[in-house]
Amino acid sequence: MCQPDVVSSEPSTPPVCVLGLGLIGGSLLRAAVATGRQAFGWNRSSQAVEGAVADGFDASTDLTATLRRAAENDALVVIAVPMPAVDGILAAIAEHAPDVTLTDVVSVKAQVAAAVAAHGLSRRFVGGHPMAGTAESGWTAGDADLFRDAVWVVTVDDGTDPEAWRQVAELALDCGSVVVPAESREHDAAVARISHLPHVLAEALALSGAEGGDLALGLAAGSFRDGTRVAATAPALVDAMCEGNAVALLDVLDETLRVLSAAREQLAAGSTSELTRAGHAARQRYEQRRRDPITGTQPGDEGWIETFREAGRKGRVWAR
């Protein structure tokens, strides 16, 4: 099987097995191959597999065979299916490849970690979430450069195996990402604010624009386009993200509704200055953020998990 766009003739270890070849999984397969790693994938849809094979990648619709191959080659297995499909994939892994190092790229982490534990697979599991994507989906939407300069969260939950953590983090680094460690529940609370809430607001803004009819949509320009970009995402994918993180999302949605209610009261009184100045300052804080490296501690050192958690809370990144 041809391995296109390889920049090194000697593949890195371990091999990478990607389960699910949509936008994220397909991009990951491409990116892993481009680093020189041996990589292969699986997808339930024959159309995605046919597309991958036609593009020169190693892919199959046979999940059992793919997992047995992963076990035989001590591959790093990456779960890249939507949350509703995760349980079935874990059941197959538990049956055919229970000892592999395992990670995922699902947008919620606590629910995945709980499912992994329910299948007895926690020993070599480390959660992951690349903060990258587009509104497109499927194999054809994939891009080997999707993860370049993106943050890739690698979880540091209690009992995390340091060697497994390093393998997952090094895959993220190889794909061009920056690695931020975080505990699963803290990750979920954070992404409710900066990923899942924006999806809800984008859907609401798209509805508001459409309610204005053709004139409003005909006048829409950059702010509407940018604000509604993620509303172009397939609804089922948005449902999986939001419903999978419902508790954290409900909290931040309530908080945002209070902000909007206060803004309405301020506007009715003749001023929006409180909202606009606070929002401007918040945006400036985002633009001025720094990515300081984690120093002095490596995976496996005494107290490394709590040290990495605290570093992640400050937005610090891990490098080799």
Side-chain angles (χ1 to χ4, degrees):
M1 180 66 64
C2 174
Q3 298 276 319
D5 301 325
V6 174
V7 297
S8 170
S9 59
E10 296 185 7
S12 304
T13 54
V16 178
C17 170
V18 183
L19 304 179
L21 299 178
L23 169 66
I24 301 300
S27 296
L28 179 53
L29 181 63
R30 291 174 170 93
V33 167
T35 70
R37 285 180 182 254
Q38 178 190 356
F40 54 98
W42 166 88
N43 202 81
R44 182 182 63 178
S45 162
S46 60
Q47 182 178 6
V49 169
E50 289 167 2
V53 171
D55 289 339
F57 292 89
D58 188 345
S60 171
T61 57
D62 189 333
L63 180 58
T64 298
T66 300
L67 289 174
R68 288 175 177 169
R69 177 181 177 187
E72 290 168 0
N73 290 276
D74 198 22
L76 170 57
V77 175
V78 184
I79 299 172
V81 299
M83 188 64 223
V86 166
D87 196 68
I89 295 294
L90 289 172
I93 293 170
E95 181 176 358
H96 301 293
D99 297 319
V100 295
T101 301
L102 183 63
T103 187
D104 74 292
V105 289
V106 181
S107 65
V108 293
K109 299 273 63 77
Q111 190 175 1
V112 172
V116 168
H119 287 276
L121 296 169
S122 296
R123 184 177 64 85
R124 298 284 294 169
F125 171 73
V126 178
H129 182 200
M131 304 300 299
T134 71
E136 306 301 319
S137 60
W139 168 260
T140 57
D143 181 354
D145 291 325
L146 182 67
F147 310 112
R148 193 157 301 282
D149 297 323
V151 167
W152 193 311
V153 176
V154 182
T155 61
V156 279
D157 294 338
D158 291 344
T160 296
D161 180 272
E163 179 54 33
W165 194 93
R166 188 184 293 272
Q167 286 188 23
V168 175
E170 288 184 345
L171 173 62
L173 293 175
D174 284 350
C175 291
S177 295
V178 294
V179 171
V180 174
E183 191 270 340
S184 287
R185 296 189 188 283
E186 292 184 4
H187 162 277
D188 291 354
V191 297
R193 294 179 176 277
I194 53 80
S195 179
H196 303 159
L197 178 65
H199 275 278
V200 173
L201 296 179
E203 309 289 358
L205 182 57
L207 286 169
S208 178
E211 282 295 316
D214 291 339
L215 175 59
L217 294 177
L219 297 177
S223 59
F224 182 81
R225 180 192 64 239
D226 295 345
T228 60
R229 179 184 64 82
V230 295
T233 306
L237 296 178
V238 179
D239 291 343
M241 285 189 292
C242 293
E243 293 168 8
N245 199 23
V247 173
L249 180 54
L250 283 169
D251 285 344
V252 72
L253 185 55
D254 286 342
E255 178 185 300
T256 304
L257 288 171
R258 290 192 292 271
V259 171
L260 292 173
S261 294
R264 187 192 186 285
E265 292 175 2
Q266 293 160 23
L267 179 59
S271 174
T272 58
S273 62
E274 184 175 340
L275 174 69
T276 57
R277 281 155 180 75
H280 182 267
R283 172 68 188 196
Q284 291 296 108
R285 180 179 176 185
Y286 165 72
E287 292 181 348
Q288 294 166 6
R289 70 200 186 284
R290 296 172 53 181
R291 289 176 174 170
D292 294 327
I294 299 170
T295 58
T297 302
Q298 291 296 319
D301 289 352
E302 184 176 356
W304 76 277
I305 289 178
E306 186 51 48
T307 298
F308 274 36
R309 286 177 182 171
E310 183 58 30
R313 292 175 191 127
K314 297 176 180 178
R316 292 182 177 173
V317 302
W318 183 81
R320 293 183 180 92

